[in-house]
Amino acid sequence: MLPDLTDLNTFRDALTNARGPDELAVQGATERNGQLTKPPGALGRLEDLAIWYAGWRGDARPQITAPQVIVFAGNHGVTAQGVSAFPPEVTVQMVMNFEHGGAAINQLAKSAGAKMNVHALDLDRPTSDFTQGPAMSEDELLIALRAGWQAVDPQSDLLVVGEMGIGNTTPAAAIACALFGGEAADWTGRGTGVDDAGLANKTRVVAEGVALHTSDDGLEILRCLGGREIAAMAGAIAAARVLRIPVILDGFICSAAAACLARMSPGALDHAVAGHQSAEGAHGAVLTKLGKEPLLNLGLRLGEGSGGALAINILKSAVACHSGMATFAEAGVSDS
């Protein structure tokens, strides 16, 4: 059961004290995997995924029947610096598209049999420009974290979170730079397609933001450099950790949100796998820092949770093989 998020310390404590996987379920799933009608290791990474999933669900022979996709939307004051090829008004327009079922994520969620929810977070009130001060106050951060925390259905058995927010590759790049070090250029990409001059400007903005906001605390980095939708994704991923709901991470922006949690608590992302590696240049580097090997690499750079949703069927297939296949004894097949 999720505690009420009354303050940021409650969030920190809930994440730090969250339970790990059920070791008995892991043991049972591992034993079952060794008895299935296939050569050892023949299903490759699918076997590891199924055992990992079984541990988090506390069931040695689990099923995936209730996946949830949540898309959070927010606007960013830093777009006033000219960091995006599109205006902030597009965020509102895309939220309407999500709500009417017309976006790619709607189709991918439907194909995966997932329930989809959309949460728009104060779109008429962008976060502050982080080159001038913190993007959010502590109260604003808490409200955004709580939006993600409360959006997770406790009855779901798999979670994907996505985002929509014009300009949000800029705060994601700033978060990655602040967390992992290096130069701003190492983490800054073209996002929605800025030209060379736009990329240089975007890199400058990231560098200025990181120079202004230095911290070793993932939550403080999220507050100063992030956005409401990024914080909401972090809140949802953390809630799933407390509820022991496995998570499939989406692209660069989702991974930046998750990285803030990993800085707060070393095991914060043990319940998460990377759905894909996006075409945004620094995403692969973030995944390497997080120790997450992507399930897919298809050149996607859409956001919305699209890569994570696409990977739902990979995990479903892994679990279906694990739980649905017969053992050698059940099939009457010799295992020697």
Side-chain angles (χ1 to χ4, degrees), residues 149-203:
W149 186 264
Q150 295 175 343
V152 178
D153 182 354
Q155 301 305 312
S156 63
D157 53 20
L158 181 63
L159 178 67
V160 170
V161 292
E163 41 61 41
M164 178 63 213
I166 292 301
N168 63 9
T169 56
T170 300
I175 287 170
C177 187
L179 287 172
F180 302 125
E183 301 296 324
D186 298 335
W187 304 102
T188 309
R190 295 185 184 273
T192 50
V194 295
D195 58 16
D196 288 347
L199 179 59
N201 176 58
K202 186 175 177 181
T203 303

Side-chain angles (χ1 to χ4, degrees), residues 88-306:
E89 292 77 13
V90 173
T91 303
V92 176
Q93 295 163 1
M94 282 303 299
V95 167
M96 293 179 63
N97 194 27
F98 297 146
E99 291 174 344
H100 291 126
I105 186 58
N106 298 97
Q107 320 318 318
L108 294 170
K110 183 178 179 180
S111 295
K115 175 178 70 173
M116 179 176 156
N117 306 105
V118 182
H119 294 267
L121 306 172
D122 291 335
L123 298 185
D124 58 345
R125 192 168 61 91
T127 54
S128 298
D129 180 348
F130 64 60
T131 66
Q132 307 301 312
M136 293 175 281
S137 67
E138 289 192 359
D139 285 345
E140 288 172 329
L141 174 62
L142 179 61
I143 290 169
L145 288 169
R146 189 185 290 134
W149 186 264
Q150 295 175 343
V152 178
D153 182 354
Q155 301 305 312
S156 63
D157 53 20
L158 181 63
L159 178 67
V160 170
V161 292
E163 41 61 41
M164 178 63 213
I166 292 301
N168 63 9
T169 56
T170 300
I175 287 170
C177 187
L179 287 172
F180 302 125
E183 301 296 324
D186 298 335
W187 304 102
T188 309
R190 295 185 184 273
T192 50
V194 295
D195 58 16
D196 288 347
L199 179 59
N201 176 58
K202 186 175 177 181
T203 303
R204 171 192 64 81
V205 169
V206 169
E208 289 182 6
V210 173
L212 185 62
H213 307 290
T214 58
S215 176
D216 290 328
D217 177 30
L219 206 54
E220 183 67 3
I221 290 171
L222 180 60
R223 182 181 79 84
C224 292
L225 296 170
R228 291 186 179 90
E229 82 280 28
I230 299 175
M233 285 193 292
I237 294 168
R241 178 70 172 79
V242 173
L243 293 168
R244 295 207 293 193
I245 298 172
V247 169
I248 300 178
L249 300 175
D250 189 45
F252 180 53
I253 300 152
C254 177
S255 297
C260 294
L261 302 177
R263 175 59 63 89
M264 293 172 61
S265 176
L269 301 181
D270 288 352
H271 69 313
V273 294
H276 76 126
Q277 180 177 326
S278 78
E280 184 68 10
H283 188 212
V286 173
L287 292 180
T288 297
K289 292 289 188 180
L290 295 177
K292 302 293 183 185
E293 181 183 355
L295 298 180
L296 299 168
N297 190 342
L298 299 174
L300 306 179
R301 58 181 184 90
L302 179 61
E304 304 179 2
S306 53

Side-chain angles (χ1 to χ4, degrees), residues 30-80:
T30 301
E31 292 173 355
R32 175 173 173 76
N33 182 61
Q35 299 166 6
L36 297 177
T37 47
K38 60 176 178 56
L43 286 176
R45 194 175 172 194
L46 293 183
E47 298 180 19
D48 297 330
L49 286 168
I51 294 168
W52 164 82
Y53 182 85
W56 285 102
R57 296 308 294 161
D59 184 349
R61 194 172 180 175
Q63 294 183 341
I64 298 177
T65 60
Q68 182 182 19
V69 173
I70 312 174
V71 180
F72 299 100
N75 274 325
H76 300 263
V78 76
T79 57

